[in-house]
Amino acid sequence: MGNSFTDQMSQDLSLIEEYLRDAFASEARYAHLQEAMEYSLLAGGKRIRPVLTLETCRLCGGDAESALPFACAVEMVHTYSLIHDDLPAMDNDQMRRGRPTNHVVYGEAAAILAGDALLTAAFEHLTRADLPAPRVVQAVACLSRAAGSAGMVGGQALDMAGESRTREELESLQSLKTGALISAAAELGCIAADGTSEQRGQVRSYAQALGRAFQVRDDMLDVTSSEEELGKPVGSDRANGKNTFVTSLGLEGCAALVERLTREGIEAISAFEHPDFHIKLAQSMARRTK
């Protein structure tokens, strides 16, 4: 590709941030609802999921900007999940992205409603894509499956159900809680570009490997990093007695697993003609420090 990885990432992030800033700007304001939604939605973060949607659309021969509503819908679902995960009934976390969590600022009721509204808005924004109706229908099916009981919510239910789990149970949990939405982000890009079923399978394999590596690296950072670096509490899994990939494999074993999964993802995406961005994204995620 003509642009460097950093330049392309910067361009994608600019598109995403502009869309998210405008997403609710023209809506009527009800109490603190939209303010609470935007507090978390516009708090930054890596934006890996929406970037993955845009770049996978481009990879499959589509116009990346046409996939922008799909990309930002994924980020709305992700943000809703973070708001709800932080609630006292869930993880009871006080910090997220370097500042107080949503319920700390706005109260539990407002945080629940902000999460509910973001989840609902995501599907409205899917329908705003200027794409043929069959692709929009496919997108709705893809995101709803990844976000629901067969995906992210199912994984959170497993996480809340027990603190001690085997390696196999841990992998299943994380493939649902973290991996499903990352996989959907890539698939949505392929759907937007009207990619083939073969291409969709290839991007799914890539994203599943990326998602697994992402979570293993997250578990490592929960041990090796600080709250200042991550912008959220560290060591909470250990304090709560939860099994993680680190407790199962140790740091060296986790590093080896991240390397293997990254190789698997790169191999899957290398079937495309211009996979450079996706390869560099996988490599950067494997080395991330926050």
Side-chain angles (χ1 to χ4, degrees):
M1 62 171 50
N3 293 332
S4 71
F5 172 77
T6 303
D7 289 343
Q8 191 60 54
M9 177 69 84
S10 179
Q11 289 178 27
D12 289 344
L13 291 174
S14 179
L15 287 172
I16 290 161
E17 296 300 338
E18 182 180 4
Y19 187 102
L20 293 175
R21 280 196 306 271
D22 293 342
F24 306 107
S26 62
E27 287 192 356
R29 316 293 278 193
Y30 299 111
H32 294 295
L33 177 61
Q34 282 78 13
E35 182 182 328
M37 293 162 67
E38 291 168 340
Y39 176 83
S40 294
L41 185 65
L42 305 181
K46 292 175 281 293
R47 308 296 198 203
I48 294 305
R49 293 158 188 81
V51 166
L52 192 53
T53 302
L54 297 185
E55 288 301 325
T56 303
C57 179
R58 184 175 283 116
L59 182 72
C60 294
D63 171 28
E65 290 197 36
S66 72
L68 196 53
F70 286 8
C72 292
V74 177
E75 191 65 11
M76 290 175 193
V77 171
H78 177 55
T79 302
Y80 123 78
S81 75
L82 299 181
I83 294 173
H84 282 197
D85 282 359
D86 290 338
L87 289 167
M90 298 285 187
D91 294 343
N92 196 24
D93 283 329
Q94 306 298 302
M95 295 292 291
R96 170 73 66 178
R97 292 173 175 167
R99 58 182 186 169
T101 48
N102 200 290
H103 70 271
V104 171
V105 176
Y106 295 99
E108 287 182 54
I112 291 169
L113 292 172
D116 292 345
L118 283 167
L119 174 61
T120 309
F123 291 92
E124 177 191 349
H125 282 267
L126 287 179
T127 69
R128 293 186 182 184
D130 186 18
L131 291 167
R135 295 187 213 174
V136 174
V137 171
Q138 287 184 57
V140 170
C142 176
L143 186 56
S144 58
R145 186 166 55 248
S149 59
M152 186 178 66
V153 174
Q156 180 68 4
L158 288 176
D159 196 19
M160 300 304 298
E163 313 297 1
S164 180
R165 52 185 71 94
T166 66
R167 162 84 181 275
E168 292 73 21
E169 289 170 336
L170 183 61
E171 289 189 353
S172 176
L173 185 160
Q174 297 301 352
S175 72
L176 296 172
K177 183 176 178 179
T178 303
L181 200 59
I182 291 177
S183 181
E187 288 189 62
L188 286 169
C190 189
I191 290 168
D194 199 24
T196 65
S197 58
E198 182 181 11
Q199 287 178 323
R200 192 164 169 183
Q202 289 162 343
V203 300
R204 185 187 301 118
S205 295
Y206 165 81
Q208 287 173 343
L210 187 73
R212 289 182 64 198
F214 183 94
Q215 185 57 52
V216 176
R217 186 68 182 149
D218 224 38
D219 286 356
M220 294 172 69
L221 292 174
D222 192 59
V223 173
T224 63
S225 193
S226 67
E227 183 171 329
E228 289 72 28
E229 289 174 303
L230 291 184
K232 63 180 181 179
V234 297
S236 56
D237 287 337
R238 185 169 63 250
N240 292 328
K242 288 186 179 181
N243 282 346
T244 67
F245 286 104
V246 173
T247 57
S248 176
L249 299 174
L251 284 171
E252 287 188 10
C254 283
L257 180 56
V258 168
E259 184 178 342
R260 177 173 67 80
L261 290 168
T262 302
R263 284 199 308 269
E264 289 177 4
I266 289 172
E267 183 178 347
I269 210 67
S270 293
F272 287 88
E273 188 175 355
H274 300 293
D276 301 25
F277 184 94
H278 285 69
I279 290 172
K280 290 175 182 175
L281 179 64
Q283 292 169 338
S284 70
M285 287 295 96
R287 297 190 298 264
R288 69 190 176 93
T289 58
K290 59 181 181 179

